[in-house]
Amino acid sequence: MFADVIIDIQHEKLDKIFQYRIPEELEDKLTPGMEVVVPFGSGNRQIKGYVTGISETCDYDLSKVKNIISISERGVEIETKLIALAVWMKENYGGTMIQALKTVLPIKQKENAKVRKRLRLLLDKETGERQLHYYLEKNQKARARLMAALLDDPVLEYELVTKKLNVTMPVIRALEEQGVLALESRQVFRDPVKKAGGTEQEITFTEEQTRIIRAFRKDYREGLRKTYLIYGVTGSGKTEVYMEMIRTVVDQGKQAIVLIPEIALTYQTVMRFYRKFGDRVSIMNSRLSAGERYDQMMRAREGKVDVMIGPRSALFTPFPDLGLIVIDEEHETTYKSEQTPRYHARETAIRRAEMEHAGVVLGSATPSMEAMYRAKHGEYILFEMKNRSRMQQMAEVYTVDMREELKSGNRSILSRRLQELIQDRLDKGEQIMLFLNRRGYSGFVSCRECGHVIKCPHCDVSLSVHRDGMMRCHYCGYEQPKITVCPECGSHYIGEFRAGTQQIEDIVKEKYAGARVLRMDMDTTRSKDSHEKILSAFANEEADILVGTQMIVKGHDFPNVTLVGVLAADMSLYTSDYRSGERTFQLLTQAAGRAGRGDRPGEAVIQTYDPGHYAIETAAAQDYEAFYEEEIRYRELMGYPPAEQLLAVLISGEDEALLEKGCHYLKEYILRLAAKAGHQGEVRVIGPASPGIDKIKDIFRRVIYIKTERYGTLVGIKDRVEKYIDINPGFDRMRIQFDFNPM
Ligand code: ADP
Ligand code: ZN
Ligand code: ZN
C-alpha cells in the first residue's frame, strides 16, 4: 500500500504531493488526514507531513519510493480534520487533491504591514448626545448615523464607517473640522476586530424563539448533534436564536462558525454579534487582504476567537473544538463555489460537523428546495417561525397582468396601478423601489399578447435565441428556427423581452418630473465604492425612487420605502434553468419584503405576463408551502434535484472540432457506465449541449448532464471519467470539470 503525503501545508505554493510506501504494521492504522513522519530529500531528514490519500498502486519508480517512518504522536490536530474534509471534497466534487487542500487550509502569504485609518470621538458622552440631537433636528442623516455609532464605540475603523455605515469622506471631514472627531492613521497589527461598543439589549424571547432554543439545548446536553432548519419569515428573530445557540456552545468552551452572504454582512449585523460576544468575534470578508485573513485564521487556531463570521470560505476556520456551524440565508446561490472543487457550503458544513461532532443550523425565510426536502424527509429538524418578532405587518402584494394592460391600450412598462401608487408615494414624501428582474437573462421568447413562452419540448425550460437565428435548449441541445408568430394565439407581438434599467429610469424621469431618481445596475456600480454610495444616498433620502436590478433587493433596510414595484416578474422564470421557479419565488418574496420595514405598512406591485404561474401566484400570496408543493412535483416529474441528483460535466477547449469529437467519445463512455450502473436505478445522459454561452474568449464549451437517483452513482461515474480522460491522450487538450447539482 502507498500513501500520498503533503509536506509543507502552509506554503504559498502548496503544490507537491509525494508518495511513500506504508509499512505493514501501519496499514490498518493510517487514514487520510493523519500526520506522519517521513524521510525527506537526499539526506533523508525526518520531517512531518500529512496523508492525503491511500492507494494500492504507485506512480513512481518503486525502487526509489521511501517508507513512512511513523504516525506522529501529537494526536489529532485540526489540520488532520481539515485534510480529511478536503479528501471528502475531492471525492464528492471532483478536481485535484491540491485544489481541495488549497480550499480548506489557511495559506500563509507574505505581506507588508498595513497603515490603517480610524476615527476617534473627541467629545464626552453628554456633548456627543447633544450633537447627535442637533444633527437629527437638522435632518443631517449621515452625520447623525456616524455620531450615534461613535457614541456606541468611540473608536471606529475608517473602512467600517465608509463601507458599512455608508458615511462618505466629506461628512467625516466636516465632523473633523467641527472638532467632533479625529481621523488617525496607525500602523496596525492586522486585526479587523474593534472593541465591542454599546451594551447588550435585554430582550424577552418570543414563544417561537423559546421553543427552538429549548429544543436545541436539550439535544445539545444529551450529546446529540443534528442539522436544524429554521424556516422563519424576515424579522422573525432568527439571528437572536442563532446567537443564543452559539452562546450555548461557547459556554461549553467550544467555537462557532456563522456563514452570512457577504451582501448581508452589514454593520448592524456585525455589531449585534460584537455586543454579544465582544472581541472573541472575528469577521472574515472579501475586503480583508490575504494576510489579514491568514491572521484571523491563526487567531482562531490559537483559541483566541470563539465566533467566526463570514461568507462561504469562513467554513474552513481552523477551530480547535468546533461546536456549531450556522448558515444564514441558506438558500443563497453564493454558498455554491464556482471554482473547483465546486462544493456547496451546506453539504460541506454538514460533513465537517459530522467529522468534528458539531451541530448545524440553517436559516432562511425562503428555504432552498434542497433544505426543505431534506427537512421533510427527516434528515434535518424543522423549526418554523411564522410571526415577526415585533409583529409588524407583511406588505400587501398586488399582481398586475400586463397582457390586460396591453389590451386596455396601456403600452407603458409601468402598469396603471403602479403609476398611481408611485404618484401617491411621491405626494407623501415616501420612497419607492423599482426592481427590474433581469436575473440570468438569456434571451427567451415570449408573447406580449398571451404570455406564451417558447420552451424545449423535452426539458420544460425556455429556449434561448442565438445570433444565428436559432432557438436552443441549454440542457439537451434541441433547436428550432426563431418564430415570428405566437403558436398559441397567432399574435405578432412575440419576441425577446428587452427592457433595461436605463430605459426605466428615463421613463420614470419623464413621467414624474421633479422626482429624484437613482439607478443601480452593472453600469452604475463599476467603480469601487459606487454600490455603497448609491445605497447610502438612498438611505439618506437623497432620492425618491431607486431603480435597479436584483442588487437592490438584498441586504439593506430602508425604513421609508413603502412601495416596491417589480417589473417583468416573469423574466427570471425563463432563464433556461430548472431552478428558475425557485429563484423567482425567492426574489419576489425578498422584493416584497423590502416594502414597509419601518412603522408604516408597505405595498408591492408585481407586474407579470404570467400571473397564473405558481411561482408568481404563491410569491404574491407569500405562501412558501404552496410554492414548495408545486415545485417539488415539477422536480420529481422532470427528475431534477433534490428529487434526483444531477451532474454536469463541463468540457472546454480551443479546438472546436476536437471538442466535438471528445464530447462524442465521452458521452459514449458515460452511456456505457450508465448501462453498468443501471442496477442502482436508471441513469440518464443528456447532451452534449451548449452551457448557455458557447464560447468565451475563444474557448469553446459544452456540457453533458447525467441524472440519477443516488449521488453515489454520480460520484462513481465521475471517478471513472477522471481515469478515462487521464489515459486517453486527446483529452489533455481539453479541460473537464465536474459540477454536482449545479446552481
Ligand atoms: P431575522 O434574523 O429573522 O430577520 P432578527 O433576529 O434580525 O430577525 O430580528 C429582527 C429584529 O427584531 C431585530 O432588531 C431584533 O433585535 C428584534 N428582535 C428579535 N427577537 C426579539 C424579541 N424576542 N423581542 C424584541 N425584539 C426582538
Ligand atoms: Zn400569444
Ligand atoms: Zn431540452
Side-chain angles (χ1 to χ4, degrees):
M1 299 281 276
F2 301 90
D4 300 324
V5 176
I6 185 141
I7 305 291
D8 186 359
I9 57 165
Q10 286 189 352
H11 198 272
E12 210 168 321
K13 289 216 273 293
L14 187 83
D15 57 359
K16 193 107 184 74
I17 290 178
F18 300 89
Q19 268 193 323
Y20 285 88
R21 186 181 286 109
I22 306 175
E24 229 168 83
E25 70 271 17
L26 295 183
E27 255 179 32
D28 298 334
K29 293 184 192 144
L30 217 57
T31 56
M34 274 187 180
E35 192 178 5
V36 288
V37 181
V38 292
F40 192 73
S42 50
N44 282 338
R45 196 159 45 96
Q46 289 197 5
I47 58 168
K48 302 218 161 134
Y50 292 93
V51 175
T52 62
I54 292 172
S55 57
E56 287 177 16
T57 54
C58 181
D59 307 335
Y60 302 97
D61 180 356
L62 270 178
S63 65
K64 289 192 184 145
V65 174
K66 300 173 189 174
N67 277 17
I68 288 180
I69 297 170
S70 62
I71 296 174
S72 176
E73 314 235 300
R74 263 198 286 177
V76 181
E77 295 270 327
I78 177 62
E79 284 75 15
T80 296
K81 298 178 200 161
L82 287 175
I83 289 170
L85 184 64
V87 170
W88 178 86
M89 287 168 73
K90 178 205 169 329
E91 279 166 7
N92 279 273
Y93 297 110
T96 65
M97 196 58 224
I98 295 288
Q99 285 169 326
L101 287 170
K102 283 188 169 166
T103 309
V104 305
L105 293 172
I107 312 288
K108 193 179 231 146
Q109 255 155 354
K110 284 196 205 77
E111 203 177 327
N112 298 328
K114 283 192 134 187
V115 179
R116 272 275 180 105
K117 281 185 285 194
R118 58 185 186 178
L119 311 181
R120 179 189 295 282
L121 179 65
L122 298 177
L123 308 178
D124 59 43
K125 201 99 191 161
E126 207 175 306
T127 324
E129 297 282 0
R130 267 207 307 277
Q131 198 68 14
L132 173 61
H133 202 71
Y134 172 80
Y135 294 143
L136 286 172
E137 247 170 24
K138 291 252 158 184
N139 208 19
Q140 294 174 328
K141 296 197 175 166
R143 290 178 192 204
R145 211 162 48 241
L146 177 53
M147 194 65 223
L150 281 167
L151 284 168
D152 275 350
D153 186 0
V155 180
L156 291 174
E157 294 294 335
Y158 174 81
E159 291 263 289
L160 208 104
V161 171
T162 51
K163 302 269 164 65
K164 290 297 176 205
L165 272 182
N166 292 329
V167 171
T168 55
M169 196 57 195
V171 173
I172 297 172
R173 286 279 178 228
L175 265 62
E176 192 185 20
E177 275 160 29
Q178 292 174 1
V180 169
L181 58 80
L183 187 58
E184 306 173 335
S185 293
R186 55 165 186 159
Q187 191 85 3
V188 287
F189 167 67
R190 297 174 300 214
D191 179 2
V193 181
K194 37 159 207 23
K195 288 273 170 306
T199 46
E200 204 183 304
Q201 263 181 337
E202 283 295 320
I203 60 164
T204 317
F205 289 118
T206 63
E207 231 169 88
E208 290 178 324
Q209 286 171 322
T210 311
R211 188 170 43 85
I212 299 172
I213 293 163
R214 282 220 184 111
F216 173 82
R217 287 228 175 99
K218 183 163 179 291
D219 284 347
Y220 206 81
R221 265 201 314 271
E222 291 172 4
L224 300 173
R225 301 292 181 268
K226 301 177 182 167
T227 301
Y228 306 88
L229 171 62
I230 304 182
Y231 156 42
V233 297
T234 320
S236 58
K238 293 187 291 297
T239 308
E240 294 295 335
V241 173
Y242 305 149
M243 289 197 291
E244 201 57 25
M245 290 169 158
I246 293 166
R247 166 68 64 214
T248 306
V249 308
V250 167
D251 283 349
Q252 303 278 316
K254 293 174 186 288
Q255 302 88 36
I257 294 169
V258 183
L259 301 187
I260 295 180
E262 178 112 26
I263 196 152
L265 204 56
T266 58
Y267 177 79
Q268 283 83 357
T269 309
V270 167
M271 282 312 282
R272 285 171 74 182
F273 280 91
Y274 281 140
R275 294 214 173 92
K276 203 126 210 149
F277 301 101
D279 56 8
R280 310 256 330 151
V281 172
S282 179
I283 310 293
M284 206 48 85
N285 64 40
S286 63
R287 284 191 298 275
L288 296 184
S289 67
E292 287 172 316
R293 243 172 287 174
Y294 182 75
D295 287 346
Q296 291 313 305
M297 289 296 190
M298 286 307 107
R299 287 184 64 221
R301 195 189 180 306
E302 288 156 15
K304 291 179 180 154
V305 175
D306 292 332
V307 186
M308 178 64 84
I309 306 175
R312 192 178 63 225
S313 60
L315 175 57
F316 305 110
T317 306
F319 276 134
D321 193 6
L322 183 66
L324 184 68
I325 304 172
V326 175
I327 306 184
D328 191 26
E329 312 275 1
E330 84 40 63
H331 63 274
E332 280 289 327
T333 49
T334 52
Y335 285 127
K336 177 83 193 275
S337 173
E338 283 175 4
Q339 278 165 5
T340 308
R342 295 174 179 239
Y343 68 95
H344 197 294
R346 189 193 319 113
E347 298 162 2
T348 310
I350 290 170
R351 179 66 194 164
R352 181 170 181 194
E354 206 173 87
M355 294 165 93
E356 301 185 30
H357 197 55
V360 176
V361 177
L362 312 170
S364 174
T366 51
S368 63
M369 291 303 291
E370 277 78 6
M372 188 50 87
Y373 186 76
R374 303 222 162 96
K376 284 190 188 279
H377 285 77
E379 277 179 61
Y380 307 162
I381 309 294
L382 179 64
F383 290 128
E384 282 185 50
M385 296 172 79
K386 295 197 161 119
N387 304 307
R388 285 188 163 178
S389 61
R390 287 172 300 178
M391 294 297 162
Q392 304 98 311
Q393 292 285 307
M394 303 299 276
E396 183 91 33
V397 184
Y398 312 103
T399 322
V400 177
D401 186 343
M402 293 306 280
R403 295 170 303 186
E404 295 298 326
E405 292 290 311
L406 190 70
K407 271 190 206 140
S408 328
N410 176 19
R411 294 191 176 204
S412 165
I413 192 158
L414 304 176
S415 63
R416 288 161 298 174
R417 172 147 225 169
L418 188 54
Q419 291 179 18
E420 277 163 31
L421 290 174
I422 291 174
Q423 190 58 58
D424 173 68
R425 295 313 194 273
L426 290 173
D427 293 343
K428 289 186 190 152
E430 296 174 0
Q431 288 177 297
I432 301 147
M433 285 168 88
L434 295 180
F435 159 54
L436 178 68
N437 186 359
R438 275 183 72 94
R439 180 138 210 166
Y441 174 61
S442 63
F444 68 90
V445 174
S446 68
C447 173
R448 283 192 72 185
E449 207 128 10
C450 79
H452 182 73
V453 172
I454 311 299
K455 289 187 174 181
C456 173
H458 311 295
C459 305
D460 199 35
V461 298
S462 63
L463 295 177
S464 298
V465 176
H466 286 238
R467 252 180 242 145
D468 59 6
M470 300 297 279
M471 299 189 299
R472 289 202 180 86
C473 170
H474 291 171
Y475 280 152
C476 70
Y478 168 87
E479 59 178 28
Q480 69 177 65
K482 194 171 155 184
I483 53 171
T484 50
V485 177
C486 175
E488 277 299 299
C489 72
S491 161
H492 287 275
Y493 280 117
I494 189 159
E496 290 157 83
F497 187 97
R498 288 186 197 283
T501 37
Q502 168 91 60
Q503 222 178 326
I504 294 166
E505 183 188 9
D506 294 343
I507 291 168
V508 170
K509 276 182 170 160
E510 197 187 300
K511 187 152 184 65
Y512 304 97
R516 298 163 304 166
V517 184
L518 275 171
R519 171 162 65 97
M520 188 156 123
D521 55 20
M522 289 290 270
D523 290 336
T524 61
T525 53
R526 276 225 179 94
S527 70
K528 198 160 154 275
D529 295 336
S530 45
H531 187 263
E532 308 267 349
K533 275 193 195 125
I534 295 170
L535 290 174
S536 84
F538 193 59
N540 290 340
E541 294 174 29
E542 287 161 27
D544 306 300
I545 304 177
L546 177 62
V547 177
T549 51
Q550 48 272 6
M551 280 180 211
I552 67 174
V553 183
K554 290 174 195 170
H556 289 254
D557 267 351
F558 304 104
N560 197 36
V561 171
T562 57
L563 174 64
V564 171
V566 183
L567 313 172
D570 11 18
M571 189 82 106
S572 59
L573 278 179
Y574 308 112
T575 51
S576 61
D577 154 6
Y578 73 89
R579 289 183 200 267
S580 58
E582 180 175 1
R583 272 194 208 132
T584 303
F585 179 82
Q586 288 165 353
L587 273 172
L588 297 185
T589 308
Q590 277 166 358
R594 292 290 111 188
R597 286 300 179 97
D599 303 326
R600 282 150 298 182
E603 287 174 303
V605 176
I606 295 178
Q607 297 189 166
T608 172
Y609 289 94
D610 197 356
H613 190 287
Y614 64 92
I616 292 178
E617 224 168 39
T618 54
Q622 306 191 47
D623 187 349
Y624 176 88
E625 275 297 317
F627 167 75
Y628 176 86
E629 290 305 328
E630 283 283 346
E631 182 69 16
I632 200 69
R633 229 170 292 156
Y634 158 71
R635 304 277 177 102
E636 276 166 357
L637 188 70
M638 300 302 296
Y640 289 127
E644 287 190 33
Q645 312 292 328
L646 181 66
L647 170 61
V649 184
L650 307 157
I651 310 129
S652 55
E654 282 171 19
D655 183 339
E656 192 174 16
L658 185 68
L659 184 69
E660 295 288 356
K661 219 159 111 187
C663 284
H664 173 75
Y665 280 117
L666 209 53
K667 179 162 183 186
E668 290 296 312
Y669 181 65
I670 293 171
L671 281 172
R672 287 202 297 277
L673 292 178
K676 268 191 227 153
H679 61 277
Q680 297 168 337
E682 196 194 353
V683 181
R684 277 166 292 170
V685 186
I686 307 152
S690 148
I693 307 169
D694 303 339
K695 190 163 90 166
I696 297 178
K697 291 184 185 145
D698 288 324
I699 307 282
F700 294 91
R701 299 149 23 110
R702 294 290 183 277
V703 60
I704 296 173
Y705 291 98
I706 311 168
K707 275 195 237 180
T708 192
E709 260 171 44
R710 287 182 56 245
Y711 195 90
T713 310
L714 293 181
V715 171
I717 292 177
K718 177 218 68 180
D719 288 344
R720 298 292 298 270
V721 169
E722 274 180 337
K723 292 214 178 78
Y724 179 78
I725 56 186
D726 222 29
I727 54 171
N728 283 286
F731 286 105
D732 53 14
R733 287 169 62 202
M734 283 169 251
R735 188 156 173 238
I736 298 184
Q737 291 171 286
F738 299 92
D739 196 350
F740 285 86
N741 293 336
M743 311 270 306

